[in-house]
Amino acid sequence: MTLLVAGAVVVLGASFLGGVTGFGFSLVCAPLLLLAGFGLADVVVINLVIGLVTRLAAAVRLHHSVNRRRSTYLVLGSLPGLLLGFLTRDVIGGDGLKAAAGGVAVAAAAYLMFRPPAPRADLPERVSPLSSGAAGMLGGFLGITTSLNGPPPVILLARQNAEPREFVADLAVYFIFCNALALVLIGLGGGLSLSRVGVLLACWLPGALVGNAVGLTYGSRLPVALFRRLTLGLVMVTGLITVATSVAGS
């Protein structure tokens, strides 16, 4: 019961941050649930399911703000990453993957935070198929193996100075498709056990929806500069936590 309540608090808080930033749910929830004693396989499934459901709500609310070209490249890029992660997730150690993902996220976020790109408000935004596809592929690989599929597309969007509503909307589309496909592949591989995670999802999902709704309301009101610092700071902090929990568990 103590673990159930502690997990509910973690999910509620992580969902609020996810609503504000568009991506923070799994980054916050995964390391904290692992620290609480839940297994990696269950944490991955829980994060993917809750992330999928809460991002559906965000996509419906912000569908007019979606950059269709960029979100399409992100989704298409995730396909080979998901497949590669599915084929190798039993071979590569989970702690090593988490540590590598956290380290890369911290380094990239620190670079963007302390050496931000020059403003280009006078030029139309350029969406590169190569960089968007690469971010989607890396995110897909990390998503099916660790549920930490946020940092690569987040860093891409921060690098391109996406406006906050577009930032959240594009990530919502990406997470919906990436999480859904990851769950399908995990199910095909026999990794879905409703007897273990079904009760947890039933208890935690209502709180996740409430936290996400409140976060969406406040996130759309943040100034662009504050939003950028918040998202990159969150990537750095949770990346460090991920590395720490990986080292402690190895």
Side-chain angles (χ1 to χ4, degrees):
M1 181 59 69
T2 301
L3 274 180
L4 191 63
V5 173
V9 173
V10 169
V11 168
L12 177 63
S15 297
F16 172 76
L17 287 173
V20 171
T21 63
F23 70 96
F25 173 75
S26 290
L27 283 172
V28 173
C29 201
L32 293 180
L33 289 182
L34 289 171
L35 279 175
F38 294 94
L40 177 62
D42 291 344
V43 169
V44 168
V45 172
I46 289 168
N47 283 344
L48 290 174
V49 172
I50 295 180
L52 170 61
V53 175
T54 54
R55 291 306 88 199
L56 279 170
V60 170
R61 188 166 178 174
L62 302 175
H63 67 279
H64 292 301
S65 300
V66 174
N67 184 315
R68 300 181 189 278
R69 188 172 181 221
R70 179 166 51 211
S71 58
T72 298
Y73 292 144
L74 284 170
V75 170
L76 291 177
S78 72
L79 299 179
L82 285 165
L83 183 58
L84 180 62
F86 174 71
L87 295 174
T88 61
R89 65 195 184 107
D90 293 328
V91 178
I92 305 174
D95 288 330
L97 274 175
K98 287 185 292 180
V104 170
V106 170
Y111 172 78
L112 291 175
M113 181 175 287
F114 297 111
R115 298 185 62 185
R120 300 178 58 182
D122 57 323
L123 296 176
E125 179 181 318
R126 180 175 179 271
V127 177
S128 166
L130 182 60
S131 59
S132 299
M137 181 173 69
L138 183 55
F141 177 81
L142 293 174
I144 197 170
T145 52
T146 66
S147 78
L148 301 177
N149 52 358
V154 165
I155 290 168
L156 171 78
L157 289 164
R159 182 70 177 81
Q160 295 178 352
N161 286 324
E163 184 267 339
R165 289 179 66 87
E166 187 175 290
F167 191 110
V168 176
D170 285 3
L171 286 176
V173 173
Y174 172 73
F175 286 138
I176 288 168
F177 283 94
C178 188
N179 289 16
L181 291 171
L183 287 168
V184 169
L185 288 173
I186 292 173
L188 292 175
L192 285 178
S193 177
L194 293 180
S195 63
R196 290 202 308 266
V197 301
V199 175
L200 297 177
L201 288 171
C203 293
W204 294 347
L205 192 53
L209 291 171
V210 172
N212 178 70
V214 176
L216 275 173
T217 299
Y218 283 98
S220 61
R221 301 175 183 175
L222 292 177
V224 174
L226 177 59
F227 183 88
R228 176 183 172 84
R229 288 195 296 271
L230 177 63
T231 53
L232 292 176
L234 182 59
V235 171
M236 291 180 65
V237 171
T238 53
L240 289 171
I241 294 174
T242 302
V243 172
T245 56
S246 303
V247 172
S250 60

